[in-house]
Amino acid sequence: MSIKGKAYIAGAYEHPLRKAPDKTVAQLHYEVAMGALADAGLSKSDVDGYFCAGDAPGLGAFSMAEYMGLKLRHVDSTDTGGSAYLVHVSHAAQAIAAGKCNVALITLAGRPRSEGSSGLVPRNFGPAPDAPFELPFGSVTVNRYGVSAMRHMYQYGTTSEQLAWVKVAASQHAQHNPNAMLRDVVTVEDVLSSPMISDPLHRLDCCVVSDGGGALVVVSPEVMRSLNRPRIKLLGAGEAPKHLNGGKMDLTLSAAAWSGPTAFAEAGVKPADIKYVSIYDSFTITVVIQIEDLGFCEKGQGGRFVADGNLISGVGKLPFNTDGGGLCNNHPADRGGMTKVIEAVRQLRGEAHPAVQVKNCNLALAQGTGGSLGTRHCSATLIMERE
């Protein structure tokens, strides 16, 4: 079933806080939910579908349904890490097209900053089949991206200076976002002189750790027509996992190589048609590899593509993450997919900061990655249009 034109994003909201020690995770979910519904011009009594992932406390969808007082006829708790919320948009559109719901609410929230989370300690995901083979070696998140970056450099000649341009572009945009965690503009030299965290990734190659969250409201065409809001239509979506494949894997390849073409084919557009991109930026290398795999440049040319300001709005030919992204603005619950969709919606509505608003932005792409490039992850791609 194609979702093209079957659903619209009517509401989007990003929590303004980046540190929330006095709020519970459930409370943050509620606050972003009410923010997105207010943005859409709807109330919680209109919601008949709810989507959440592993960041939702308690028993997931039904714990949150009770907490928020939702009366539902469709729930989905698919969890693919940071890409889950793009998957949820696609699944919500499918559910709407199948008549399972008309107003789908998607929420994300967490408190990793208040709880002292970082990417510098091993993460135990319980009795996962990979755990006995990897946990003894103390692999941490930043290491698993570092190996992909090092391999990309060895294989394609990518440089640390080129990676640094991703952070420079994000900082150029974040200076205009009053809620961004890091608003200072940085240079390539600043990135290269920051402490080395996992060779070749410096501290400024890494995303922020933040509390907060965000929410989206996806609705049927009939509901959208009743609302006095810009019509952000879903054109195409793709999702795909990538794993170690018994050791037969390419460290420089992301699952965007499969989710991207699926989304483009469904939307009936090509990379050259896209006016703005929200690219998952857990690390600078994450952006470079996904840009290649989505088809914005040839494989191996991502470093050259992002250099010299090519990602800066109003300067380069592919403006990205105009809110500052995960590198400078927000990475709530250690899951950055939600904010990628939110900023794409802002751009399509013409609601981004005037200094970074892309002119005539009528077609945008949001890209998410959950997991890690060096081991296993899931990619999700969304293509949206302002009708």
Side-chain angles (χ1 to χ4, degrees):
M1 176 190 297
S2 174
I3 67 166
K4 186 175 183 179
K6 301 292 179 60
Y8 293 75
I9 297 179
Y13 180 80
E14 180 182 7
H15 205 288
L17 294 183
R18 301 295 178 264
K19 190 171 185 179
D22 59 340
K23 294 180 182 289
T24 66
V25 173
Q27 185 178 357
L28 290 169
H29 273 273
Y30 181 83
E31 290 177 1
V32 296
M34 295 306 104
L37 287 167
D39 180 63
L42 295 166
S43 69
K44 66 180 182 180
S45 62
D46 297 307
V47 177
D48 58 354
Y50 178 61
F51 296 70
C52 65
D55 57 281
L59 294 170
F62 52 99
S63 287
M64 291 309 303
E66 180 177 30
Y67 181 83
M68 294 193 284
L70 301 176
K71 185 177 181 180
L72 305 169
R73 60 191 183 102
H74 186 78
V75 295
D76 186 329
S77 57
T78 300
D79 193 358
T80 59
S83 62
Y85 317 93
L86 291 88
V87 171
H88 290 164
V89 172
S90 174
H91 288 190
Q94 294 173 47
I96 288 169
K100 300 297 184 182
C101 61
N102 288 308
V103 177
L105 172 66
I106 305 165
T107 65
L108 154 77
R111 300 171 63 254
R113 187 179 178 195
S114 292
E115 294 167 3
S117 173
S118 76
L120 302 178
V121 294
R123 299 174 71 182
N124 189 346
F125 293 101
D130 51 87
F133 301 94
E134 296 177 6
L135 279 176
F137 296 96
S139 174
V140 300
T141 301
V142 68
N143 297 154
R144 294 193 287 269
Y145 283 83
V147 296
S148 289
M150 187 65 80
R151 181 65 195 185
H152 204 278
M153 289 179 168
Y154 172 81
Q155 192 164 327
Y156 298 115
T158 308
T159 67
S160 291
E161 288 82 1
Q162 291 169 341
L163 294 183
W165 273 105
V166 178
K167 175 71 171 193
V168 170
S171 74
Q172 287 284 341
H173 298 151
Q175 66 176 314
H176 305 293
N177 182 352
N179 293 324
M181 278 188 67
L182 305 178
R183 297 187 64 193
D184 291 340
V185 175
V186 301
T187 65
V188 169
E189 291 71 25
D190 291 331
V191 179
L192 300 183
S193 63
S194 65
M196 186 69 74
I197 302 299
S198 180
D199 194 10
L201 299 176
H202 299 79
R203 184 170 65 193
L204 293 184
D205 285 301
C206 308
C207 69
V208 300
V209 176
S210 57
D211 297 347
L216 297 161
V217 178
V218 182
V219 303
S220 67
E222 293 75 21
V223 172
M224 191 72 244
R225 285 193 289 269
S226 71
L227 304 174
N228 186 26
R229 299 298 289 138
R231 297 181 181 181
I232 308 306
K233 180 167 63 176
L234 295 170
L235 294 184
E239 57 193 73
K242 177 177 177 282
H243 50 77
L244 293 174
N245 193 29
K248 300 175 183 178
M249 56 95 71
D250 182 349
L251 284 168
T252 72
L253 189 74
S254 75
W258 303 298
S259 66
T262 299
F264 279 115
E266 184 172 41
V269 301
K270 53 188 183 297
D273 298 321
I274 301 296
K275 301 291 182 63
Y276 165 80
V277 294
S278 284
I279 304 288
Y280 202 98
D281 55 344
S282 48
F283 300 89
T284 52
I285 186 61
T286 321
V287 175
V288 169
I289 288 177
Q290 288 174 108
I291 281 176
E292 295 173 344
D293 294 339
L294 289 168
F296 290 103
C297 66
E298 292 183 11
K299 191 64 186 174
Q301 299 301 307
R304 296 173 181 86
F305 184 88
V306 303
D308 301 319
N310 199 38
L311 301 180
I312 300 174
S313 184
V315 175
K317 63 181 180 181
L318 188 67
F320 102 124
N321 297 11
T322 45
D323 60 341
L327 288 169
C328 294
N329 170 36
N330 195 11
H331 194 238
D334 294 330
R335 294 164 174 253
M338 173 65 76
T339 52
K340 299 299 168 284
V341 183
I342 291 172
E343 184 65 7
V345 169
R346 290 193 192 111
Q347 280 286 348
L348 290 169
R349 288 176 170 180
E351 295 175 352
H353 190 284
V356 298
Q357 177 65 51
V358 176
K359 293 181 180 179
N360 304 314
C361 187
N362 65 332
L363 197 62
L365 177 146
Q367 169 65 29
T369 298
S372 68
L373 293 186
T375 53
R376 58 199 61 80
H377 65 272
C378 186
S379 171
T381 310
L382 291 177
I383 298 174
M384 298 156 279
E385 176 185 54
R386 175 160 180 162
E387 191 172 74

